[in-house]
Amino acid sequence: MMNIKPNWLLNKWWFSWSDRSLIFIITLASILAFIPQVRQVRAENLQDYSIANTFVKSEKDITLLENNKPIDRQINNKEVHTYQVKVNTGEYLNIVIEQKNVDFEVILLGEDGKNIIKIDDYEAPESESMVMIADKSGVYNIQVRSLENSGYYQIKIKDWRSATELDKKIVQATIFYAEAEELKIQSSLTAQETAIKKYEQALPLFREIGDQRKQAAIFNNIATIYKNLGNTQRALELYNQALSIIRDVGNKIEQATLLHNLAIVYHNLGENQKALELYNQALPLWQSAGKLSAEANTLLGIGRIYNILGDRPKTLDYYNKALQLSRTINDKKNEASILSNIGGIYWELGANNIIIKL
């Protein structure tokens, strides 16, 4: 493991080992940044427009999901667990998956194997909820897919009954929300604008249902779109609306997410002290929740603020903390970004001011 640290004594050589070390940092950052791109290209070449080909099926194949019988399981990175349930026409089903240190998506498939709906709700960081009303009797499959790492989860049927009018609104709101999530990750302006419309269609339904956490998630997601489109003032308003809800009903992860997002907006507005204050509020929440990747990103944000404020020692301190966390979770992309930032700082200070020990 590399240990990066200041060495203010090696400043007499025009091209010392420390100069070569800086070149090594920049080269390593470039290599690490290239690795995910190579993997992505290879995956795209191998898959025939089917996401399932990038995942590994569980050796246990299909597990029957029964009412009042929760199932606890371990899931490995990129592994797929498939569950089966037989539902009659007009029945409402609410399946909840409680996650423990793992991020996953949940996909509902019909008897023909086609996707009905996909749920990957980052704003519900400790659980995913899959709801449906069967339009015809049959066997439906539910797939749980680990996206980034290994961990544990529990899957259970929370509600199973003949659909009520309220259930129909829950399902419709969930469909609007899931469609918005799919559109949000697309880069075109049309997709972003359509995502906002879908969120706005879901919002009054979630209000009627009384789901405040989903309302906050919608404000957060629309705010992020506006932030990315350059409308920082509108983003600021919506983030604050979301935060006012989450402080009453949300958990630490949801609060930390909003505080981090608000910090980014204030940074973009040039209000760096306010951004620093918000980052520092988010940091202990990430730490107590054990979210190392998010903690690393917040540490990196704090480092960038100190860099703007001209405090190089604190900048490097927070960059190195973020670097160690990224290595702990094997996040090569973030590691490359942080190494690049560290290299830039040492370049400003003079390449002969550092050494790297392997």
Side-chain angles (χ1 to χ4, degrees):
M1 181 180 291
M2 295 186 297
N3 179 27
I4 304 174
K5 62 181 183 179
N7 185 353
W8 309 108
L9 299 177
L10 299 180
N11 56 8
K12 296 182 179 180
W13 302 98
W14 175 75
F15 191 75
S16 64
W17 280 103
S18 53
D19 295 304
R20 300 171 197 175
S21 299
L22 177 60
I23 295 171
F24 179 72
I25 282 184
I26 296 171
T27 303
L28 179 59
S30 302
I31 292 171
L32 290 169
F34 182 66
I35 289 172
Q37 296 174 19
V38 172
R39 288 177 179 167
Q40 182 179 2
V41 169
R42 289 177 179 171
E44 289 172 352
N45 289 338
L46 291 173
Q47 69 180 18
D48 54 347
Y49 305 101
S50 174
I51 190 171
N53 289 337
T54 64
F55 291 83
V56 179
K57 289 186 178 180
S58 168
E59 294 179 358
K60 294 183 179 180
D61 296 323
I62 298 174
T63 303
L64 181 64
L65 195 58
E66 300 178 84
N67 203 12
N68 300 317
K69 291 186 178 181
I71 297 173
D72 293 280
R73 291 183 70 178
Q74 180 178 3
I75 189 167
N76 296 318
N77 185 31
K78 298 298 180 184
E79 189 177 13
V80 179
H81 291 173
T82 302
Y83 298 89
Q84 214 168 64
V85 61
K86 186 175 181 179
V87 188
N88 296 320
T89 303
E91 286 185 333
Y92 168 80
L93 199 64
N94 179 13
I95 297 170
V96 175
I97 305 96
E98 302 287 342
Q99 61 194 54
K100 302 173 184 177
N101 300 321
V102 60
D103 183 26
F104 51 72
E105 65 184 10
V106 185
I107 300 176
L108 176 67
L109 303 99
E111 285 189 293
D112 56 3
K114 292 183 179 179
N115 290 5
I116 297 175
I117 190 171
K118 179 174 75 173
I119 304 293
D120 176 21
D121 186 3
Y122 184 74
E123 281 68 42
E126 294 182 340
S127 68
E128 305 281 6
S129 182
M130 171 69 69
V131 295
M132 65 166 287
I133 296 174
D135 58 0
K136 64 179 180 179
S137 298
V139 176
Y140 292 82
N141 287 339
I142 300 97
Q143 289 189 344
V144 179
R145 297 175 171 179
S146 172
L147 296 176
E148 292 184 355
N149 50 3
S150 300
Y152 296 86
Y153 70 92
Q154 181 187 87
I155 183 169
K156 64 183 178 182
I157 298 174
K158 183 179 179 181
D159 302 298
W160 194 351
R161 58 178 176 257
S162 295
T164 65
E165 288 303 312
L166 183 61
D167 294 334
K168 292 175 184 177
K169 291 176 182 178
I170 292 171
V171 171
Q172 187 58 67
T174 302
I175 290 171
F176 283 143
Y177 188 92
E179 290 173 344
E181 290 286 280
E182 288 291 303
L183 289 162
K184 184 183 68 174
I185 62 176
Q186 299 177 28
S187 58
S188 72
L189 178 60
T190 299
Q192 298 293 296
E193 291 175 340
T194 307
I196 291 174
K197 290 178 182 178
K198 291 288 184 180
Y199 283 130
E200 289 174 342
Q201 285 178 295
L203 185 59
L205 291 171
F206 282 123
R207 278 180 178 148
E208 189 172 350
I209 295 163
D211 191 335
Q212 290 183 288
R213 293 176 71 177
K214 263 297 188 286
Q215 293 172 51
I218 288 172
F219 286 134
N220 174 73
N221 294 347
I222 296 176
T224 299
I225 293 174
Y226 278 121
K227 173 177 67 74
N228 294 338
L229 294 176
N231 191 341
T232 52
Q233 195 58 48
R234 181 60 178 151
L236 193 62
E237 294 169 4
L238 290 167
Y239 278 139
N240 277 306
Q241 279 186 267
L243 186 60
S244 66
I245 296 173
I246 285 301
R247 279 187 165 145
D248 291 333
V249 301
N251 61 21
K252 292 179 180 179
I253 296 173
E254 291 166 330
Q255 290 183 52
T257 299
L258 284 161
L259 289 166
H260 181 97
N261 290 342
L262 273 167
I264 293 172
V265 175
Y266 277 110
H267 167 64
N268 292 340
L269 291 171
E271 298 186 37
N272 292 308
Q273 287 293 348
K274 181 65 175 177
L276 188 60
E277 176 187 331
L278 291 163
Y279 276 136
N280 281 318
Q281 289 180 43
L283 188 59
L285 296 175
W286 292 132
Q287 291 169 338
S288 63
K291 294 294 182 180
L292 300 185
S293 177
E295 181 185 347
N297 285 329
T298 295
L299 287 167
L300 184 58
I302 294 172
R304 285 172 176 159
I305 297 296
Y306 278 121
N307 187 33
I308 292 170
L309 297 175
D311 192 332
R312 297 296 186 268
K314 283 190 176 180
T315 299
L316 291 171
D317 180 43
Y318 280 96
Y319 280 172
N320 276 296
K321 287 177 181 177
L323 179 64
Q324 294 308 313
L325 281 178
S326 296
R327 286 174 173 166
T328 298
I329 59 177
N330 199 31
D331 186 343
K332 298 298 183 184
K333 184 177 180 180
N334 210 35
E335 183 181 346
S337 174
I338 296 166
L339 281 168
S340 179
N341 283 321
I342 291 173
I345 294 298
Y346 282 123
W347 184 267
E348 292 176 7
L349 294 173
N352 58 343
N353 287 333
I354 64 165
I355 60 171
I356 298 179
K357 292 184 178 179
L358 297 176

mmCIF file of all heavy atoms in Angstrom, residues 50-81:
data_model
loop_
_atom_site.group_PDB
_atom_site.id
_atom_site.type_symbol
_atom_site.label_atom_id
_atom_site.label_comp_id
_atom_site.label_asym_id
_atom_site.label_seq_id
_atom_site.Cartn_x
_atom_site.Cartn_y
_atom_site.Cartn_z
ATOM 1 N N SER A 50 -29.473 -7.219 -22.599
ATOM 2 C CA SER A 50 -30.094 -7.889 -21.449
ATOM 3 C C SER A 50 -29.221 -7.677 -20.241
ATOM 4 O O SER A 50 -28.093 -8.160 -20.195
ATOM 5 C CB SER A 50 -30.256 -9.383 -21.724
ATOM 6 O OG SER A 50 -30.723 -10.041 -20.570
ATOM 7 N N ILE A 51 -29.741 -6.970 -19.250
ATOM 8 C CA ILE A 51 -28.951 -6.663 -18.062
ATOM 9 C C ILE A 51 -28.563 -7.917 -17.295
ATOM 10 O O ILE A 51 -27.558 -7.963 -16.610
ATOM 11 C CB ILE A 51 -29.711 -5.689 -17.134
ATOM 12 C CG1 ILE A 51 -28.799 -5.164 -16.028
ATOM 13 C CG2 ILE A 51 -30.936 -6.339 -16.535
ATOM 14 C CD1 ILE A 51 -29.431 -4.053 -15.223
ATOM 15 N N ALA A 52 -29.346 -8.976 -17.433
ATOM 16 C CA ALA A 52 -29.097 -10.192 -16.659
ATOM 17 C C ALA A 52 -27.744 -10.805 -16.964
ATOM 18 O O ALA A 52 -27.157 -11.488 -16.137
ATOM 19 C CB ALA A 52 -30.203 -11.218 -16.930
ATOM 20 N N ASN A 53 -27.212 -10.564 -18.173
ATOM 21 C CA ASN A 53 -25.943 -11.170 -18.541
ATOM 22 C C ASN A 53 -24.757 -10.613 -17.774
ATOM 23 O O ASN A 53 -23.672 -11.189 -17.813
ATOM 24 C CB ASN A 53 -25.697 -10.989 -20.050
ATOM 25 C CG ASN A 53 -26.630 -11.854 -20.883
ATOM 26 O OD1 ASN A 53 -27.135 -12.861 -20.400
ATOM 27 N ND2 ASN A 53 -26.868 -11.458 -22.115
ATOM 28 N N THR A 54 -24.946 -9.480 -17.097
ATOM 29 C CA THR A 54 -23.847 -8.910 -16.319
ATOM 30 C C THR A 54 -23.884 -9.374 -14.874
ATOM 31 O O THR A 54 -23.075 -8.965 -14.076
ATOM 32 C CB THR A 54 -23.909 -7.372 -16.358
ATOM 33 O OG1 THR A 54 -25.106 -6.937 -15.726
ATOM 34 C CG2 THR A 54 -23.867 -6.866 -17.785
ATOM 35 N N PHE A 55 -24.829 -10.248 -14.535
ATOM 36 C CA PHE A 55 -24.985 -10.742 -13.179
ATOM 37 C C PHE A 55 -24.786 -12.252 -13.144
ATOM 38 O O PHE A 55 -24.850 -12.936 -14.156
ATOM 39 C CB PHE A 55 -26.376 -10.394 -12.633
ATOM 40 C CG PHE A 55 -26.580 -8.927 -12.386
ATOM 41 C CD1 PHE A 55 -26.934 -8.073 -13.415
ATOM 42 C CD2 PHE A 55 -26.394 -8.400 -11.118
ATOM 43 C CE1 PHE A 55 -27.122 -6.725 -13.176
ATOM 44 C CE2 PHE A 55 -26.576 -7.043 -10.880
ATOM 45 C CZ PHE A 55 -26.942 -6.218 -11.908
ATOM 46 N N VAL A 56 -24.546 -12.764 -11.948
ATOM 47 C CA VAL A 56 -24.328 -14.191 -11.749
ATOM 48 C C VAL A 56 -25.524 -14.770 -11.011
ATOM 49 O O VAL A 56 -25.884 -14.304 -9.934
ATOM 50 C CB VAL A 56 -23.048 -14.453 -10.926
ATOM 51 C CG1 VAL A 56 -22.865 -15.945 -10.717
ATOM 52 C CG2 VAL A 56 -21.845 -13.845 -11.631
ATOM 53 N N LYS A 57 -26.142 -15.792 -11.573
ATOM 54 C CA LYS A 57 -27.292 -16.406 -10.921
ATOM 55 C C LYS A 57 -26.857 -17.212 -9.710
ATOM 56 O O LYS A 57 -25.794 -17.817 -9.693
ATOM 57 C CB LYS A 57 -28.030 -17.317 -11.910
ATOM 58 C CG LYS A 57 -28.771 -16.553 -13.002
ATOM 59 C CD LYS A 57 -29.586 -17.490 -13.856
ATOM 60 C CE LYS A 57 -30.371 -16.704 -14.908
ATOM 61 N NZ LYS A 57 -31.174 -17.615 -15.760
ATOM 62 N N SER A 58 -27.719 -17.218 -8.704
ATOM 63 C CA SER A 58 -27.446 -17.975 -7.491
ATOM 64 C C SER A 58 -27.530 -19.467 -7.767
ATOM 65 O O SER A 58 -28.326 -19.930 -8.591
ATOM 66 C CB SER A 58 -28.453 -17.599 -6.400
ATOM 67 O OG SER A 58 -28.373 -18.495 -5.325
ATOM 68 N N GLU A 59 -26.699 -20.233 -7.064
ATOM 69 C CA GLU A 59 -26.723 -21.679 -7.216
ATOM 70 C C GLU A 59 -28.054 -22.263 -6.740
ATOM 71 O O GLU A 59 -28.452 -23.352 -7.132
ATOM 72 C CB GLU A 59 -25.564 -22.298 -6.423
ATOM 73 C CG GLU A 59 -24.185 -21.917 -6.970
ATOM 74 C CD GLU A 59 -23.068 -22.522 -6.143
ATOM 75 O OE1 GLU A 59 -23.387 -23.190 -5.143
ATOM 76 O OE2 GLU A 59 -21.901 -22.336 -6.505
ATOM 77 N N LYS A 60 -28.739 -21.526 -5.861
ATOM 78 C CA LYS A 60 -30.001 -22.034 -5.325
ATOM 79 C C LYS A 60 -31.157 -21.817 -6.290
ATOM 80 O O LYS A 60 -32.264 -22.259 -6.052
ATOM 81 C CB LYS A 60 -30.296 -21.349 -3.983
ATOM 82 C CG LYS A 60 -29.305 -21.702 -2.892
ATOM 83 C CD LYS A 60 -29.705 -21.055 -1.567
ATOM 84 C CE LYS A 60 -28.722 -21.424 -0.470
ATOM 85 N NZ LYS A 60 -29.094 -20.815 0.831
ATOM 86 N N ASP A 61 -30.905 -21.163 -7.441
ATOM 87 C CA ASP A 61 -31.918 -20.918 -8.446
ATOM 88 C C ASP A 61 -33.136 -20.202 -7.866
ATOM 89 O O ASP A 61 -32.998 -19.136 -7.303
ATOM 90 C CB ASP A 61 -32.310 -22.227 -9.132
ATOM 91 C CG ASP A 61 -31.136 -22.837 -9.894
ATOM 92 O OD1 ASP A 61 -30.345 -22.065 -10.476
ATOM 93 O OD2 ASP A 61 -31.015 -24.053 -9.883
ATOM 94 N N ILE A 62 -34.321 -20.799 -7.964
ATOM 95 C CA ILE A 62 -35.553 -20.108 -7.591
ATOM 96 C C ILE A 62 -36.045 -20.551 -6.220
ATOM 97 O O ILE A 62 -36.113 -21.742 -5.922
ATOM 98 C CB ILE A 62 -36.641 -20.354 -8.648
ATOM 99 C CG1 ILE A 62 -36.196 -19.785 -10.000
ATOM 100 C CG2 ILE A 62 -37.952 -19.706 -8.224
ATOM 101 C CD1 ILE A 62 -37.130 -20.099 -11.138
ATOM 102 N N THR A 63 -36.400 -19.571 -5.390
ATOM 103 C CA THR A 63 -36.907 -19.830 -4.042
ATOM 104 C C THR A 63 -38.368 -19.392 -3.968
ATOM 105 O O THR A 63 -38.718 -18.305 -4.424
ATOM 106 C CB THR A 63 -36.086 -19.065 -2.994
ATOM 107 O OG1 THR A 63 -34.714 -19.436 -3.102
ATOM 108 C CG2 THR A 63 -36.590 -19.371 -1.586
ATOM 109 N N LEU A 64 -39.216 -20.236 -3.402
ATOM 110 C CA LEU A 64 -40.622 -19.912 -3.242
ATOM 111 C C LEU A 64 -40.787 -18.891 -2.121
ATOM 112 O O LEU A 64 -40.277 -19.078 -1.018
ATOM 113 C CB LEU A 64 -41.426 -21.171 -2.922
ATOM 114 C CG LEU A 64 -42.946 -20.989 -2.751
ATOM 115 C CD1 LEU A 64 -43.570 -20.528 -4.067
ATOM 116 C CD2 LEU A 64 -43.575 -22.284 -2.271
ATOM 117 N N LEU A 65 -41.485 -17.803 -2.400
ATOM 118 C CA LEU A 65 -41.732 -16.758 -1.413
ATOM 119 C C LEU A 65 -43.139 -16.944 -0.859
ATOM 120 O O LEU A 65 -44.122 -16.952 -1.609
ATOM 121 C CB LEU A 65 -41.599 -15.382 -2.069
ATOM 122 C CG LEU A 65 -41.462 -14.166 -1.145
ATOM 123 C CD1 LEU A 65 -40.263 -14.298 -0.243
ATOM 124 C CD2 LEU A 65 -41.365 -12.888 -1.980
ATOM 125 N N GLU A 66 -43.236 -17.111 0.458
ATOM 126 C CA GLU A 66 -44.515 -17.393 1.092
ATOM 127 C C GLU A 66 -44.874 -16.309 2.100
ATOM 128 O O GLU A 66 -44.004 -15.655 2.675
ATOM 129 C CB GLU A 66 -44.469 -18.751 1.796
ATOM 130 C CG GLU A 66 -44.170 -19.926 0.871
ATOM 131 C CD GLU A 66 -44.085 -21.237 1.626
ATOM 132 O OE1 GLU A 66 -45.143 -21.842 1.857
ATOM 133 O OE2 GLU A 66 -42.954 -21.639 1.988
ATOM 134 N N ASN A 67 -46.175 -16.154 2.319
ATOM 135 C CA ASN A 67 -46.659 -15.155 3.254
ATOM 136 C C ASN A 67 -46.247 -15.511 4.686
ATOM 137 O O ASN A 67 -46.259 -16.677 5.079
ATOM 138 C CB ASN A 67 -48.186 -15.059 3.166
ATOM 139 C CG ASN A 67 -48.703 -13.721 3.658
ATOM 140 O OD1 ASN A 67 -47.948 -12.769 3.856
ATOM 141 N ND2 ASN A 67 -50.013 -13.633 3.860
ATOM 142 N N ASN A 68 -45.860 -14.474 5.455
ATOM 143 C CA ASN A 68 -45.466 -14.641 6.862
ATOM 144 C C ASN A 68 -44.242 -15.523 7.053
ATOM 145 O O ASN A 68 -44.044 -16.113 8.118
ATOM 146 C CB ASN A 68 -46.635 -15.214 7.688
ATOM 147 C CG ASN A 68 -47.851 -14.313 7.673
ATOM 148 O OD1 ASN A 68 -47.735 -13.089 7.800
ATOM 149 N ND2 ASN A 68 -49.029 -14.904 7.499
ATOM 150 N N LYS A 69 -43.391 -15.621 6.028
ATOM 151 C CA LYS A 69 -42.167 -16.412 6.130
ATOM 152 C C LYS A 69 -40.986 -15.612 5.578
ATOM 153 O O LYS A 69 -40.575 -15.793 4.426
ATOM 154 C CB LYS A 69 -42.308 -17.742 5.383
ATOM 155 C CG LYS A 69 -43.289 -18.708 6.027
ATOM 156 C CD LYS A 69 -43.285 -20.061 5.318
ATOM 157 C CE LYS A 69 -44.231 -21.036 6.004
ATOM 158 N NZ LYS A 69 -44.232 -22.373 5.334
ATOM 159 N N PRO A 70 -40.428 -14.698 6.387
ATOM 160 C CA PRO A 70 -39.268 -13.914 5.940
ATOM 161 C C PRO A 70 -38.074 -14.827 5.633
ATOM 162 O O PRO A 70 -37.904 -15.873 6.252
ATOM 163 C CB PRO A 70 -38.964 -13.005 7.134
ATOM 164 C CG PRO A 70 -40.204 -13.013 7.968
ATOM 165 C CD PRO A 70 -40.836 -14.358 7.758
ATOM 166 N N ILE A 71 -37.260 -14.390 4.692
ATOM 167 C CA ILE A 71 -36.070 -15.148 4.304
ATOM 168 C C ILE A 71 -34.849 -14.246 4.472
ATOM 169 O O ILE A 71 -34.797 -13.144 3.916
ATOM 170 C CB ILE A 71 -36.165 -15.634 2.849
ATOM 171 C CG1 ILE A 71 -37.350 -16.596 2.686
ATOM 172 C CG2 ILE A 71 -34.865 -16.315 2.426
ATOM 173 C CD1 ILE A 71 -37.627 -16.989 1.246
ATOM 174 N N ASP A 72 -33.866 -14.700 5.237
ATOM 175 C CA ASP A 72 -32.603 -13.980 5.421
ATOM 176 C C ASP A 72 -31.525 -14.663 4.595
ATOM 177 O O ASP A 72 -31.335 -15.881 4.687
ATOM 178 C CB ASP A 72 -32.205 -13.977 6.899
ATOM 179 C CG ASP A 72 -33.164 -13.155 7.747
ATOM 180 O OD1 ASP A 72 -33.038 -11.930 7.752
ATOM 181 O OD2 ASP A 72 -34.054 -13.764 8.391
ATOM 182 N N ARG A 73 -30.791 -13.863 3.810
ATOM 183 C CA ARG A 73 -29.771 -14.452 2.939
ATOM 184 C C ARG A 73 -28.569 -13.517 2.781
ATOM 185 O O ARG A 73 -28.675 -12.298 2.950
ATOM 186 C CB ARG A 73 -30.336 -14.742 1.547
ATOM 187 C CG ARG A 73 -31.351 -15.860 1.509
ATOM 188 C CD ARG A 73 -31.825 -16.144 0.107
ATOM 189 N NE ARG A 73 -30.786 -16.757 -0.719
ATOM 190 C CZ ARG A 73 -30.986 -17.125 -1.987
ATOM 191 N NH1 ARG A 73 -32.170 -16.924 -2.555
ATOM 192 N NH2 ARG A 73 -30.020 -17.689 -2.671
ATOM 193 N N GLN A 74 -27.472 -14.127 2.412
ATOM 194 C CA GLN A 74 -26.277 -13.372 2.007
ATOM 195 C C GLN A 74 -26.260 -13.315 0.490
ATOM 196 O O GLN A 74 -26.636 -14.287 -0.181
ATOM 197 C CB GLN A 74 -25.001 -14.044 2.510
ATOM 198 C CG GLN A 74 -23.725 -13.303 2.106
ATOM 199 C CD GLN A 74 -22.469 -13.974 2.654
ATOM 200 O OE1 GLN A 74 -22.554 -15.024 3.286
ATOM 201 N NE2 GLN A 74 -21.319 -13.381 2.402
ATOM 202 N N ILE A 75 -25.837 -12.177 -0.042
ATOM 203 C CA ILE A 75 -25.731 -12.027 -1.490
ATOM 204 C C ILE A 75 -24.359 -11.463 -1.830
ATOM 205 O O ILE A 75 -23.855 -10.561 -1.156
ATOM 206 C CB ILE A 75 -26.857 -11.124 -2.047
ATOM 207 C CG1 ILE A 75 -26.879 -11.158 -3.574
ATOM 208 C CG2 ILE A 75 -26.754 -9.703 -1.524
ATOM 209 C CD1 ILE A 75 -28.145 -10.552 -4.177
ATOM 210 N N ASN A 76 -23.731 -12.021 -2.861
ATOM 211 C CA ASN A 76 -22.408 -11.580 -3.282
ATOM 212 C C ASN A 76 -22.513 -10.528 -4.378
ATOM 213 O O ASN A 76 -23.571 -10.348 -4.990
ATOM 214 C CB ASN A 76 -21.589 -12.774 -3.787
ATOM 215 C CG ASN A 76 -21.332 -13.784 -2.692
ATOM 216 O OD1 ASN A 76 -21.030 -13.423 -1.550
ATOM 217 N ND2 ASN A 76 -21.468 -15.057 -3.012
ATOM 218 N N ASN A 77 -21.425 -9.838 -4.631
ATOM 219 C CA ASN A 77 -21.390 -8.794 -5.641
ATOM 220 C C ASN A 77 -21.820 -9.343 -7.001
ATOM 221 O O ASN A 77 -21.329 -10.369 -7.454
ATOM 222 C CB ASN A 77 -19.967 -8.219 -5.729
ATOM 223 C CG ASN A 77 -19.892 -7.041 -6.670
ATOM 224 O OD1 ASN A 77 -20.848 -6.294 -6.824
ATOM 225 N ND2 ASN A 77 -18.751 -6.857 -7.311
ATOM 226 N N LYS A 78 -22.767 -8.654 -7.637
ATOM 227 C CA LYS A 78 -23.297 -8.996 -8.958
ATOM 228 C C LYS A 78 -24.061 -10.316 -8.984
ATOM 229 O O LYS A 78 -24.315 -10.865 -10.059
ATOM 230 C CB LYS A 78 -22.167 -9.025 -10.000
ATOM 231 C CG LYS A 78 -21.465 -7.694 -10.198
ATOM 232 C CD LYS A 78 -22.406 -6.620 -10.711
ATOM 233 C CE LYS A 78 -21.698 -5.296 -10.911
ATOM 234 N NZ LYS A 78 -22.612 -4.218 -11.323
ATOM 235 N N GLU A 79 -24.438 -10.818 -7.834
ATOM 236 C CA GLU A 79 -25.209 -12.055 -7.776
ATOM 237 C C GLU A 79 -26.699 -11.758 -7.904
ATOM 238 O O GLU A 79 -27.167 -10.679 -7.532
ATOM 239 C CB GLU A 79 -24.931 -12.791 -6.463
ATOM 240 C CG GLU A 79 -25.526 -14.197 -6.415
ATOM 241 C CD GLU A 79 -25.160 -14.933 -5.128
ATOM 242 O OE1 GLU A 79 -24.662 -14.281 -4.190
ATOM 243 O OE2 GLU A 79 -25.392 -16.147 -5.073
ATOM 244 N N VAL A 80 -27.451 -12.714 -8.441
ATOM 245 C CA VAL A 80 -28.891 -12.582 -8.611
ATOM 246 C C VAL A 80 -29.599 -13.671 -7.821
ATOM 247 O O VAL A 80 -29.269 -14.854 -7.950
ATOM 248 C CB VAL A 80 -29.300 -12.691 -10.096
ATOM 249 C CG1 VAL A 80 -30.823 -12.580 -10.236
ATOM 250 C CG2 VAL A 80 -28.625 -11.630 -10.928
ATOM 251 N N HIS A 81 -30.553 -13.293 -6.991
ATOM 252 C CA HIS A 81 -31.423 -14.238 -6.302
ATOM 253 C C HIS A 81 -32.829 -14.086 -6.872
ATOM 254 O O HIS A 81 -33.344 -12.975 -6.970
ATOM 255 C CB HIS A 81 -31.457 -13.976 -4.799
ATOM 256 C CG HIS A 81 -30.164 -14.289 -4.108
ATOM 257 N ND1 HIS A 81 -29.936 -13.981 -2.777
ATOM 258 C CD2 HIS A 81 -29.027 -14.879 -4.559
ATOM 259 C CE1 HIS A 81 -28.727 -14.377 -2.442
ATOM 260 N NE2 HIS A 81 -28.149 -14.911 -3.500
#
